Amino acid sequence: MKETKIGIVSCSGEECLGGTISRLATRKVLEKLRMGETVTICLPLFIAGGEEERLFAKVFPTIAVDGCSKLCAMRATEKYSGKVNAVVNVAEILGEEKALSELVSLKEMPQDYEEIVDKVANEICKKIDKIISDILTKEAMEELESQGKSGGGCCCGNC
Amino acid sequence: MSKVVVIPCSGMGKVYGLIAREAALKVVRELKKNEAETKCLAYLVTGDEEIKNYMQGKKCITIDGCPKMCAAKNAKEAGAEVIEELKSIEFAKEKRAMKPGTATNLNEEGWEVVDYIADKIVEIIDNLEVK
């Protein structure tokens, strides 16, 4: 596979627990679960930054991680850079009510927060695996196609 | 006087984004509950009419973690009156706290910088009230 990194653009919503969980789950994926395979830029850079930041989602396959159903990460990425490959909505995993609850500082995390972060981080990893699998399949198909055109034979090697 | 809106950058990639975020939360949830509030920067970035209308002319204090100044720029773009543009890294330098933790977790030094910035914001809001 050509070297491909997956871009993760996360909400870090200040107003609800969903934002805090988005942030922590994204950090866990970047630092531990998919280190080296993933990159991120700060969401607000789409407006404040220059072309380089806006090119981000055009260059990398991108996953938006959102804390609530406003889906700001997805919408902002698509507004400035193009369609995201996948969305993880924390509110769908946690339930809307809990995601919108006001517990937000790291000092105030609920006791079961690590479990919640793991759940969301695993969901992000599933999306990453799917994107990589799709890329590999596409590359394999292109390879087969190019072999077929140049050699005129089928994949068995005998034709 | 309407509430002052405190907007941190919350940057995902750097500890100074996390410091900004925690300082803002300390102000709006503990120190100045009745005088200050925060809004999601990510929501501002979407450019929704609802949040733009809300931010029009609002007095706003931003806290940024890097020189790109995303919080300040986005708040202005949304129509807010940015009365102070704070930089969390400058406060860390003042406190000589150059290893405040990571973008995921703060250590003791990091939490000290959070308190320091939060106190500075309280001072700014108090000055506004006096005027």
Side-chain angles (χ1 to χ4, degrees), chain A residues 10-15 19-20 23-24 26-27 31 40 42-48 53 70 72 75-76 79-80 102-108, chain B residues 8-14 17-18 21-22 25 29 38-48 68-70 73-74 77 102-105 111:
Chain A
S10 174
C11 130
S12 55
E14 281 74 41
E15 292 177 73
T20 311
R23 180 189 180 94
L24 291 171
T26 299
R27 292 296 325 166
E31 282 175 357
T40 189
C42 302
L43 178 57
L45 267 174
F46 282 118
I47 284 186
E53 282 77 23
K70 282 193 179 125
C72 301
R75 287 162 56 215
K79 185 172 175 183
Y80 295 104
E102 278 192 11
L103 207 58
V104 280
S105 169
L106 290 183
K107 280 184 173 167
E108 302 166 331
Chain B
C9 82
S10 295
M12 285 299 296
K14 292 183 181 71
L18 179 57
R21 184 176 199 269
E22 289 292 339
L25 293 174
R29 293 173 59 79
T38 189
K39 291 287 167 195
C40 286
L41 183 53
Y43 189 32
L44 281 184
V45 175
T46 63
D48 261 15
K68 299 221 168 155
M69 303 296 286
C70 298
K73 286 178 186 168
N74 281 287
E77 176 93 15
T102 68
T104 308
N105 279 306
W111 287 110

Short mmCIF file of all heavy atoms in Angstrom, two decimals, chain A residues 10-15 19-20 23-24 26-27 31 40 42-48 53 70 72 75-76 79-80 102-108, chain B residues 8-14 17-18 21-22 25 29 38-48 68-70 73-74 77 102-105 111:
data_model
loop_
_atom_site.label_atom_id
_atom_site.label_comp_id
_atom_site.label_asym_id
_atom_site.label_seq_id
_atom_site.Cartn_x
_atom_site.Cartn_y
_atom_site.Cartn_z
N SER A 10 -11.33 16.30 15.07
CA SER A 10 -12.21 16.09 16.22
C SER A 10 -12.81 17.38 16.74
O SER A 10 -12.14 18.41 16.77
CB SER A 10 -11.41 15.42 17.35
OG SER A 10 -12.20 15.33 18.51
N CYS A 11 -14.03 17.28 17.17
CA CYS A 11 -14.66 18.35 17.94
C CYS A 11 -14.01 18.28 19.33
O CYS A 11 -13.52 17.24 19.73
CB CYS A 11 -16.16 18.06 18.05
SG CYS A 11 -16.88 18.11 19.68
N SER A 12 -13.95 19.41 20.02
CA SER A 12 -13.49 19.29 21.42
C SER A 12 -14.43 20.14 22.25
O SER A 12 -14.04 20.80 23.18
CB SER A 12 -12.05 19.75 21.56
OG SER A 12 -11.91 21.04 21.06
N GLY A 13 -15.68 20.10 21.84
CA GLY A 13 -16.75 20.94 22.37
C GLY A 13 -16.60 21.31 23.84
O GLY A 13 -16.47 20.45 24.70
N GLU A 14 -16.64 22.61 24.08
CA GLU A 14 -16.49 23.09 25.46
C GLU A 14 -17.78 22.97 26.25
O GLU A 14 -17.78 23.11 27.46
CB GLU A 14 -16.05 24.56 25.47
CG GLU A 14 -14.59 24.78 25.20
CD GLU A 14 -14.23 24.55 23.74
OE1 GLU A 14 -15.01 24.99 22.88
OE2 GLU A 14 -13.21 23.91 23.48
N GLU A 15 -18.88 22.74 25.57
CA GLU A 15 -20.15 22.84 26.28
C GLU A 15 -20.74 21.52 26.74
O GLU A 15 -21.75 21.50 27.42
CB GLU A 15 -21.17 23.55 25.37
CG GLU A 15 -20.83 25.00 25.14
CD GLU A 15 -21.81 25.66 24.20
OE1 GLU A 15 -22.94 25.90 24.61
OE2 GLU A 15 -21.44 25.90 23.05
N GLY A 19 -17.97 16.43 23.83
CA GLY A 19 -16.78 17.08 23.29
C GLY A 19 -15.52 16.59 23.99
O GLY A 19 -14.49 16.35 23.37
N THR A 20 -15.61 16.47 25.31
CA THR A 20 -14.45 15.99 26.08
C THR A 20 -14.11 14.56 25.69
O THR A 20 -12.95 14.20 25.52
CB THR A 20 -14.76 16.06 27.60
OG1 THR A 20 -15.29 17.34 27.91
CG2 THR A 20 -13.50 15.82 28.41
N ARG A 23 -12.44 14.42 22.31
CA ARG A 23 -11.04 14.83 22.42
C ARG A 23 -10.18 13.68 22.95
O ARG A 23 -9.16 13.33 22.38
CB ARG A 23 -10.94 16.04 23.36
CG ARG A 23 -9.54 16.54 23.53
CD ARG A 23 -9.39 17.60 24.61
NE ARG A 23 -7.99 17.96 24.63
CZ ARG A 23 -7.47 18.97 23.96
NH1 ARG A 23 -8.23 19.75 23.25
NH2 ARG A 23 -6.18 19.20 23.99
N LEU A 24 -10.63 13.07 24.05
CA LEU A 24 -9.83 12.01 24.68
C LEU A 24 -9.72 10.77 23.78
O LEU A 24 -8.66 10.15 23.70
CB LEU A 24 -10.43 11.63 26.04
CG LEU A 24 -10.29 12.71 27.12
CD1 LEU A 24 -11.10 12.33 28.36
CD2 LEU A 24 -8.83 12.93 27.50
N THR A 26 -9.95 10.68 20.50
CA THR A 26 -9.07 11.01 19.36
C THR A 26 -7.61 10.97 19.79
O THR A 26 -6.76 10.42 19.10
CB THR A 26 -9.43 12.41 18.80
OG1 THR A 26 -10.78 12.37 18.34
CG2 THR A 26 -8.53 12.80 17.65
N ARG A 27 -7.31 11.55 20.95
CA ARG A 27 -5.93 11.53 21.46
C ARG A 27 -5.45 10.09 21.65
O ARG A 27 -4.32 9.76 21.37
CB ARG A 27 -5.81 12.28 22.79
CG ARG A 27 -6.01 13.78 22.75
CD ARG A 27 -5.00 14.57 21.97
NE ARG A 27 -3.66 14.05 22.02
CZ ARG A 27 -2.69 14.43 21.20
NH1 ARG A 27 -2.93 15.32 20.26
NH2 ARG A 27 -1.49 13.93 21.29
N GLU A 31 -2.23 8.67 19.79
CA GLU A 31 -1.04 8.38 20.61
C GLU A 31 -0.78 6.89 20.81
O GLU A 31 0.36 6.48 20.98
CB GLU A 31 -1.22 8.98 22.02
CG GLU A 31 -0.98 10.45 22.10
CD GLU A 31 -1.29 10.99 23.49
OE1 GLU A 31 -1.75 10.24 24.37
OE2 GLU A 31 -1.07 12.20 23.69
N THR A 40 -3.66 14.65 12.78
CA THR A 40 -4.79 15.53 13.03
C THR A 40 -4.39 16.97 12.78
O THR A 40 -3.20 17.29 12.77
CB THR A 40 -5.31 15.40 14.48
OG1 THR A 40 -6.55 16.12 14.59
CG2 THR A 40 -4.33 15.94 15.50
N CYS A 42 -6.09 20.94 14.10
CA CYS A 42 -7.16 21.52 14.91
C CYS A 42 -8.27 22.00 13.98
O CYS A 42 -8.00 22.66 12.98
CB CYS A 42 -6.64 22.71 15.68
SG CYS A 42 -5.28 22.29 16.75
N LEU A 43 -9.47 21.69 14.34
CA LEU A 43 -10.64 22.08 13.55
C LEU A 43 -10.69 23.58 13.25
O LEU A 43 -10.95 23.97 12.10
CB LEU A 43 -11.89 21.59 14.28
CG LEU A 43 -13.25 21.89 13.71
CD1 LEU A 43 -13.38 21.36 12.30
CD2 LEU A 43 -14.33 21.29 14.59
N PRO A 44 -10.45 24.46 14.24
CA PRO A 44 -10.58 25.90 13.97
C PRO A 44 -9.59 26.42 12.93
O PRO A 44 -9.77 27.50 12.38
CB PRO A 44 -10.28 26.56 15.32
CG PRO A 44 -10.47 25.48 16.32
CD PRO A 44 -10.13 24.20 15.64
N LEU A 45 -8.56 25.65 12.64
CA LEU A 45 -7.57 26.09 11.66
C LEU A 45 -8.16 26.20 10.26
O LEU A 45 -7.61 26.87 9.40
CB LEU A 45 -6.40 25.10 11.61
CG LEU A 45 -5.22 25.42 12.51
CD1 LEU A 45 -4.22 24.29 12.47
CD2 LEU A 45 -4.55 26.71 12.08
N PHE A 46 -9.29 25.58 10.02
CA PHE A 46 -9.90 25.67 8.71
C PHE A 46 -10.24 27.12 8.36
O PHE A 46 -10.18 27.52 7.21
CB PHE A 46 -11.17 24.81 8.62
CG PHE A 46 -10.87 23.36 8.44
CD1 PHE A 46 -11.25 22.43 9.37
CD2 PHE A 46 -10.17 22.92 7.32
CE1 PHE A 46 -10.97 21.09 9.22
CE2 PHE A 46 -9.88 21.58 7.15
CZ PHE A 46 -10.28 20.66 8.11
N ILE A 47 -10.60 27.88 9.38
CA ILE A 47 -10.86 29.30 9.11
C ILE A 47 -9.60 30.12 9.34
O ILE A 47 -9.22 30.94 8.52
CB ILE A 47 -12.00 29.84 10.01
CG1 ILE A 47 -13.35 29.36 9.48
CG2 ILE A 47 -11.98 31.36 10.02
CD1 ILE A 47 -14.53 29.94 10.22
N ALA A 48 -8.95 29.87 10.45
CA ALA A 48 -7.81 30.71 10.83
C ALA A 48 -6.56 30.42 10.01
O ALA A 48 -5.72 31.28 9.83
CB ALA A 48 -7.51 30.54 12.31
N GLU A 53 -3.89 24.11 5.56
CA GLU A 53 -4.85 23.42 6.43
C GLU A 53 -6.07 22.96 5.64
O GLU A 53 -6.61 21.89 5.88
CB GLU A 53 -5.28 24.33 7.58
CG GLU A 53 -4.26 24.43 8.70
CD GLU A 53 -3.09 25.34 8.34
OE1 GLU A 53 -3.25 26.20 7.46
OE2 GLU A 53 -2.01 25.16 8.94
N LYS A 70 -24.90 18.10 16.40
CA LYS A 70 -24.66 19.26 15.53
C LYS A 70 -23.61 18.91 14.47
O LYS A 70 -23.53 19.56 13.44
CB LYS A 70 -24.17 20.45 16.36
CG LYS A 70 -25.29 21.16 17.09
CD LYS A 70 -24.81 22.50 17.62
CE LYS A 70 -25.93 23.21 18.34
NZ LYS A 70 -25.60 23.60 19.69
N CYS A 72 -20.39 19.37 14.12
CA CYS A 72 -19.58 20.52 13.68
C CYS A 72 -18.31 20.09 12.96
O CYS A 72 -17.91 20.72 11.98
CB CYS A 72 -19.20 21.39 14.88
SG CYS A 72 -20.62 22.04 15.76
N ARG A 75 -19.22 19.00 9.47
CA ARG A 75 -19.71 20.09 8.62
C ARG A 75 -18.61 21.08 8.27
O ARG A 75 -18.51 21.53 7.13
CB ARG A 75 -20.88 20.79 9.30
CG ARG A 75 -22.14 19.91 9.29
CD ARG A 75 -23.16 20.35 10.31
NE ARG A 75 -23.52 21.73 10.16
CZ ARG A 75 -23.82 22.54 11.18
NH1 ARG A 75 -23.77 22.09 12.42
NH2 ARG A 75 -24.15 23.79 10.98
N ALA A 76 -17.78 21.41 9.27
CA ALA A 76 -16.71 22.38 9.00
C ALA A 76 -15.69 21.79 8.04
O ALA A 76 -15.22 22.47 7.12
CB ALA A 76 -16.04 22.80 10.30
N LYS A 79 -17.19 21.81 4.64
CA LYS A 79 -17.36 23.18 4.12
C LYS A 79 -16.06 23.69 3.50
O LYS A 79 -16.06 24.35 2.47
CB LYS A 79 -17.78 24.10 5.27
CG LYS A 79 -18.10 25.51 4.85
CD LYS A 79 -18.69 26.28 6.03
CE LYS A 79 -18.90 27.74 5.68
NZ LYS A 79 -19.41 28.50 6.82
N TYR A 80 -14.94 23.39 4.15
CA TYR A 80 -13.68 23.98 3.70
C TYR A 80 -12.78 23.03 2.91
O TYR A 80 -11.90 23.48 2.19
CB TYR A 80 -12.89 24.52 4.90
CG TYR A 80 -13.61 25.67 5.56
CD1 TYR A 80 -14.30 25.50 6.76
CD2 TYR A 80 -13.63 26.93 4.95
CE1 TYR A 80 -14.98 26.55 7.35
CE2 TYR A 80 -14.32 27.98 5.53
CZ TYR A 80 -14.99 27.79 6.73
OH TYR A 80 -15.68 28.84 7.29
N GLU A 102 -23.33 18.44 31.06
CA GLU A 102 -22.35 19.52 31.15
C GLU A 102 -21.00 19.17 31.76
O GLU A 102 -20.18 20.05 32.02
CB GLU A 102 -22.96 20.69 31.93
CG GLU A 102 -23.83 21.56 31.06
CD GLU A 102 -24.20 22.86 31.72
OE1 GLU A 102 -23.61 23.17 32.77
OE2 GLU A 102 -25.09 23.53 31.20
N LEU A 103 -20.78 17.91 32.00
CA LEU A 103 -19.51 17.52 32.61
C LEU A 103 -18.40 17.62 31.58
O LEU A 103 -18.39 16.90 30.59
CB LEU A 103 -19.66 16.07 33.06
CG LEU A 103 -18.83 15.58 34.21
CD1 LEU A 103 -19.09 16.39 35.44
CD2 LEU A 103 -19.16 14.14 34.44
N VAL A 104 -17.49 18.53 31.73
CA VAL A 104 -16.55 18.77 30.64
C VAL A 104 -15.07 18.84 31.02
O VAL A 104 -14.22 18.50 30.21
CB VAL A 104 -16.93 20.05 29.86
CG1 VAL A 104 -18.03 19.80 28.90
CG2 VAL A 104 -17.30 21.16 30.81
N SER A 105 -14.76 19.28 32.22
CA SER A 105 -13.34 19.39 32.59
C SER A 105 -12.76 18.01 32.86
O SER A 105 -13.46 17.10 33.29
CB SER A 105 -13.20 20.24 33.85
OG SER A 105 -11.89 20.14 34.35
N LEU A 106 -11.47 17.87 32.63
CA LEU A 106 -10.81 16.59 32.93
C LEU A 106 -10.93 16.25 34.41
O LEU A 106 -10.88 15.09 34.80
CB LEU A 106 -9.34 16.64 32.54
CG LEU A 106 -8.99 16.70 31.06
CD1 LEU A 106 -7.49 16.69 30.87
CD2 LEU A 106 -9.62 15.54 30.30
N LYS A 107 -11.07 17.29 35.22
CA LYS A 107 -11.17 17.07 36.68
C LYS A 107 -12.53 16.51 37.09
O LYS A 107 -12.70 16.07 38.21
CB LYS A 107 -10.94 18.39 37.41
CG LYS A 107 -9.47 18.75 37.54
CD LYS A 107 -9.32 20.00 38.36
CE LYS A 107 -7.84 20.26 38.63
NZ LYS A 107 -7.63 21.61 39.16
N GLU A 108 -13.49 16.61 36.19
CA GLU A 108 -14.85 16.22 36.56
C GLU A 108 -15.35 14.99 35.80
O GLU A 108 -16.54 14.77 35.69
CB GLU A 108 -15.82 17.38 36.25
CG GLU A 108 -15.47 18.67 36.96
CD GLU A 108 -16.23 19.84 36.37
OE1 GLU A 108 -16.56 19.81 35.17
OE2 GLU A 108 -16.51 20.78 37.11
N PRO B 8 -11.80 29.31 24.33
CA PRO B 8 -10.46 28.75 24.22
C PRO B 8 -10.28 28.06 22.89
O PRO B 8 -11.24 27.64 22.26
CB PRO B 8 -10.46 27.71 25.35
CG PRO B 8 -11.87 27.22 25.39
CD PRO B 8 -12.75 28.37 24.97
N CYS B 9 -9.02 27.91 22.47
CA CYS B 9 -8.79 27.22 21.20
C CYS B 9 -8.99 25.70 21.35
O CYS B 9 -9.40 25.05 20.43
CB CYS B 9 -7.40 27.53 20.67
SG CYS B 9 -6.08 26.55 21.38
N SER B 10 -8.63 25.15 22.51
CA SER B 10 -8.79 23.70 22.75
C SER B 10 -7.97 22.84 21.81
O SER B 10 -8.27 21.66 21.63
CB SER B 10 -10.25 23.26 22.62
OG SER B 10 -11.01 23.85 23.62
N GLY B 11 -6.95 23.42 21.17
CA GLY B 11 -6.18 22.72 20.14
C GLY B 11 -5.88 21.25 20.46
O GLY B 11 -5.40 20.93 21.54
N MET B 12 -6.13 20.41 19.48
CA MET B 12 -5.99 18.96 19.67
C MET B 12 -4.53 18.50 19.74
O MET B 12 -4.23 17.46 20.29
CB MET B 12 -6.64 18.21 18.50
CG MET B 12 -8.13 18.19 18.52
SD MET B 12 -8.78 17.37 19.98
CE MET B 12 -8.18 15.71 19.75
N GLY B 13 -3.65 19.28 19.14
CA GLY B 13 -2.29 18.79 18.98
C GLY B 13 -1.30 19.23 20.04
O GLY B 13 -0.17 18.74 20.08
N LYS B 14 -1.67 20.17 20.88
CA LYS B 14 -0.68 20.71 21.81
C LYS B 14 -1.24 20.84 23.23
O LYS B 14 -2.42 21.09 23.42
CB LYS B 14 -0.24 22.11 21.35
CG LYS B 14 0.56 22.10 20.07
CD LYS B 14 1.02 23.51 19.72
CE LYS B 14 1.79 23.52 18.43
NZ LYS B 14 0.92 23.29 17.25
N GLY B 17 -3.27 23.99 24.06
CA GLY B 17 -4.69 23.99 23.72
C GLY B 17 -5.51 23.44 24.87
O GLY B 17 -6.57 23.97 25.22
N LEU B 18 -5.00 22.39 25.48
CA LEU B 18 -5.71 21.80 26.63
C LEU B 18 -5.71 22.77 27.82
O LEU B 18 -6.72 22.91 28.52
CB LEU B 18 -5.05 20.46 27.02
CG LEU B 18 -5.67 19.73 28.21
CD1 LEU B 18 -7.15 19.44 28.00
CD2 LEU B 18 -4.94 18.41 28.48
N ARG B 21 -8.30 25.36 27.25
CA ARG B 21 -9.63 24.78 27.44
C ARG B 21 -9.99 24.69 28.94
O ARG B 21 -11.05 25.11 29.36
CB ARG B 21 -9.63 23.38 26.81
CG ARG B 21 -10.95 22.66 26.84
CD ARG B 21 -10.81 21.34 26.09
NE ARG B 21 -12.11 20.85 25.71
CZ ARG B 21 -12.84 20.03 26.46
NH1 ARG B 21 -12.40 19.62 27.62
NH2 ARG B 21 -14.02 19.62 26.04
N GLU B 22 -9.06 24.17 29.71
CA GLU B 22 -9.33 23.99 31.14
C GLU B 22 -9.45 25.33 31.86
O GLU B 22 -10.24 25.47 32.79
CB GLU B 22 -8.24 23.11 31.78
CG GLU B 22 -8.29 21.64 31.36
CD GLU B 22 -9.52 20.90 31.89
OE1 GLU B 22 -10.14 21.36 32.88
OE2 GLU B 22 -9.89 19.87 31.30
N LEU B 25 -12.89 26.68 31.16
CA LEU B 25 -13.91 25.94 31.91
C LEU B 25 -13.90 26.33 33.39
O LEU B 25 -14.96 26.44 34.01
CB LEU B 25 -13.67 24.43 31.76
CG LEU B 25 -13.89 23.90 30.34
CD1 LEU B 25 -13.50 22.43 30.26
CD2 LEU B 25 -15.34 24.09 29.93
N ARG B 29 -17.34 27.75 34.83
CA ARG B 29 -18.04 26.77 35.67
C ARG B 29 -17.82 27.01 37.17
O ARG B 29 -18.59 26.54 37.98
CB ARG B 29 -17.62 25.36 35.29
CG ARG B 29 -18.09 24.98 33.88
CD ARG B 29 -17.53 23.66 33.45
NE ARG B 29 -17.93 22.58 34.35
CZ ARG B 29 -19.11 22.00 34.33
NH1 ARG B 29 -19.99 22.36 33.44
NH2 ARG B 29 -19.40 21.03 35.17
N THR B 38 -19.17 30.07 27.95
CA THR B 38 -18.34 29.71 26.81
C THR B 38 -19.23 29.16 25.69
O THR B 38 -20.37 28.77 25.93
CB THR B 38 -17.24 28.69 27.19
OG1 THR B 38 -16.34 28.54 26.10
CG2 THR B 38 -17.81 27.33 27.55
N LYS B 39 -18.72 29.17 24.51
CA LYS B 39 -19.40 28.58 23.36
C LYS B 39 -18.38 27.71 22.64
O LYS B 39 -17.18 28.00 22.64
CB LYS B 39 -19.92 29.67 22.41
CG LYS B 39 -21.07 30.49 22.99
CD LYS B 39 -22.34 29.68 23.02
CE LYS B 39 -23.41 30.35 23.89
NZ LYS B 39 -24.51 29.43 24.21
N CYS B 40 -18.87 26.66 22.01
CA CYS B 40 -17.95 25.76 21.30
C CYS B 40 -17.29 26.48 20.14
O CYS B 40 -17.99 27.00 19.26
CB CYS B 40 -18.72 24.58 20.73
SG CYS B 40 -19.22 23.38 21.92
N LEU B 41 -15.98 26.46 20.11
CA LEU B 41 -15.27 27.05 18.97
C LEU B 41 -15.59 26.26 17.70
O LEU B 41 -15.74 26.83 16.61
CB LEU B 41 -13.77 27.05 19.26
CG LEU B 41 -12.88 27.70 18.21
CD1 LEU B 41 -13.33 29.11 17.89
CD2 LEU B 41 -11.44 27.71 18.68
N ALA B 42 -15.72 24.96 17.85
CA ALA B 42 -16.04 24.12 16.69
C ALA B 42 -17.37 24.56 16.05
O ALA B 42 -17.53 24.54 14.83
CB ALA B 42 -16.12 22.66 17.10
N TYR B 43 -18.31 24.96 16.90
CA TYR B 43 -19.60 25.40 16.39
C TYR B 43 -19.45 26.74 15.66
O TYR B 43 -20.05 26.95 14.60
CB TYR B 43 -20.60 25.50 17.55
CG TYR B 43 -22.03 25.75 17.14
CD1 TYR B 43 -22.54 25.25 15.94
CD2 TYR B 43 -22.89 26.48 17.97
CE1 TYR B 43 -23.86 25.49 15.57
CE2 TYR B 43 -24.21 26.71 17.60
CZ TYR B 43 -24.69 26.22 16.41
OH TYR B 43 -25.99 26.46 16.04
N LEU B 44 -18.62 27.63 16.21
CA LEU B 44 -18.36 28.91 15.53
C LEU B 44 -17.81 28.67 14.13
O LEU B 44 -18.15 29.38 13.19
CB LEU B 44 -17.32 29.72 16.31
CG LEU B 44 -17.75 30.49 17.54
CD1 LEU B 44 -16.58 31.29 18.07
CD2 LEU B 44 -18.89 31.42 17.21
N VAL B 45 -16.94 27.65 14.04
CA VAL B 45 -16.28 27.38 12.76
C VAL B 45 -17.27 27.00 11.66
O VAL B 45 -17.05 27.26 10.49
CB VAL B 45 -15.20 26.28 12.94
CG1 VAL B 45 -14.56 25.90 11.61
CG2 VAL B 45 -14.12 26.76 13.90
N THR B 46 -18.39 26.40 12.06
CA THR B 46 -19.37 25.98 11.05
C THR B 46 -20.01 27.19 10.36
O THR B 46 -20.56 27.08 9.27
CB THR B 46 -20.52 25.13 11.64
OG1 THR B 46 -21.24 25.95 12.58
CG2 THR B 46 -20.00 23.89 12.33
N GLY B 47 -19.96 28.35 11.03
CA GLY B 47 -20.54 29.56 10.45
C GLY B 47 -22.06 29.59 10.47
O GLY B 47 -22.68 30.38 9.76
N ASP B 48 -22.68 28.77 11.30
CA ASP B 48 -24.14 28.74 11.41
C ASP B 48 -24.70 30.12 11.78
O ASP B 48 -24.12 30.81 12.61
CB ASP B 48 -24.55 27.77 12.54
CG ASP B 48 -24.95 26.43 11.98
OD1 ASP B 48 -24.66 26.17 10.81
OD2 ASP B 48 -25.55 25.64 12.75
N LYS B 68 -1.17 30.68 15.67
CA LYS B 68 -2.18 30.81 14.61
C LYS B 68 -3.43 31.55 15.10
O LYS B 68 -4.24 32.00 14.30
CB LYS B 68 -2.54 29.43 14.05
CG LYS B 68 -1.31 28.76 13.45
CD LYS B 68 -1.59 28.04 12.18
CE LYS B 68 -0.29 27.67 11.51
NZ LYS B 68 -0.36 26.56 10.64
N MET B 69 -3.59 31.64 16.42
CA MET B 69 -4.66 32.45 17.02
C MET B 69 -6.07 32.11 16.50
O MET B 69 -6.86 33.00 16.17
CB MET B 69 -4.37 33.94 16.81
CG MET B 69 -3.03 34.40 17.35
SD MET B 69 -2.88 34.24 19.15
CE MET B 69 -3.90 35.56 19.74
N CYS B 70 -6.35 30.84 16.43
CA CYS B 70 -7.64 30.39 15.87
C CYS B 70 -8.84 30.92 16.64
O CYS B 70 -9.84 31.31 16.04
CB CYS B 70 -7.71 28.87 15.87
SG CYS B 70 -6.47 28.09 14.87
N LYS B 73 -9.32 34.68 15.91
CA LYS B 73 -9.75 34.92 14.53
C LYS B 73 -11.19 34.46 14.29
O LYS B 73 -11.97 35.15 13.64
CB LYS B 73 -8.81 34.20 13.55
CG LYS B 73 -7.46 34.88 13.41
CD LYS B 73 -6.57 34.09 12.48
CE LYS B 73 -5.17 34.70 12.45
NZ LYS B 73 -4.20 33.83 11.80
N ASN B 74 -11.51 33.28 14.81
CA ASN B 74 -12.87 32.76 14.60
C ASN B 74 -13.92 33.57 15.34
O ASN B 74 -15.04 33.75 14.85
CB ASN B 74 -12.95 31.29 15.02
CG ASN B 74 -12.37 30.35 13.98
OD1 ASN B 74 -12.97 30.13 12.94
ND2 ASN B 74 -11.19 29.82 14.24
N GLU B 77 -14.43 36.69 13.34
CA GLU B 77 -15.16 36.30 12.12
C GLU B 77 -16.66 36.14 12.41
O GLU B 77 -17.50 36.44 11.57
CB GLU B 77 -14.57 34.98 11.61
CG GLU B 77 -15.24 34.37 10.41
CD GLU B 77 -14.59 34.77 9.09
OE1 GLU B 77 -13.47 35.29 9.12
OE2 GLU B 77 -15.25 34.56 8.06
N THR B 102 0.84 16.93 28.58
CA THR B 102 0.66 16.62 27.16
C THR B 102 -0.70 17.15 26.68
O THR B 102 -1.47 17.66 27.48
CB THR B 102 0.67 15.09 26.93
OG1 THR B 102 -0.53 14.55 27.54
CG2 THR B 102 1.88 14.43 27.56
N ALA B 103 -0.97 16.96 25.41
CA ALA B 103 -2.26 17.40 24.87
C ALA B 103 -3.41 16.53 25.43
O ALA B 103 -4.57 16.87 25.25
CB ALA B 103 -2.24 17.33 23.35
N THR B 104 -3.05 15.45 26.10
CA THR B 104 -4.07 14.57 26.68
C THR B 104 -4.28 14.82 28.17
O THR B 104 -5.41 14.81 28.66
CB THR B 104 -3.66 13.09 26.47
OG1 THR B 104 -3.35 12.89 25.11
CG2 THR B 104 -4.77 12.14 26.88
N ASN B 105 -3.19 15.04 28.87
CA ASN B 105 -3.28 15.21 30.33
C ASN B 105 -2.33 16.29 30.83
O ASN B 105 -1.22 16.42 30.32
CB ASN B 105 -2.90 13.90 31.03
CG ASN B 105 -4.07 12.94 31.07
OD1 ASN B 105 -5.15 13.29 31.53
ND2 ASN B 105 -3.85 11.74 30.56
N TRP B 111 -1.65 22.35 35.58
CA TRP B 111 -2.82 22.84 36.32
C TRP B 111 -2.54 24.19 36.98
O TRP B 111 -3.43 25.03 37.12
CB TRP B 111 -3.28 21.82 37.37
CG TRP B 111 -3.95 20.63 36.73
CD1 TRP B 111 -3.48 19.37 36.66
CD2 TRP B 111 -5.22 20.61 36.06
NE1 TRP B 111 -4.36 18.55 35.97
CE2 TRP B 111 -5.43 19.28 35.60
CE3 TRP B 111 -6.19 21.58 35.79
CZ2 TRP B 111 -6.58 18.91 34.89
CZ3 TRP B 111 -7.34 21.21 35.08
CH2 TRP B 111 -7.52 19.89 34.64
#
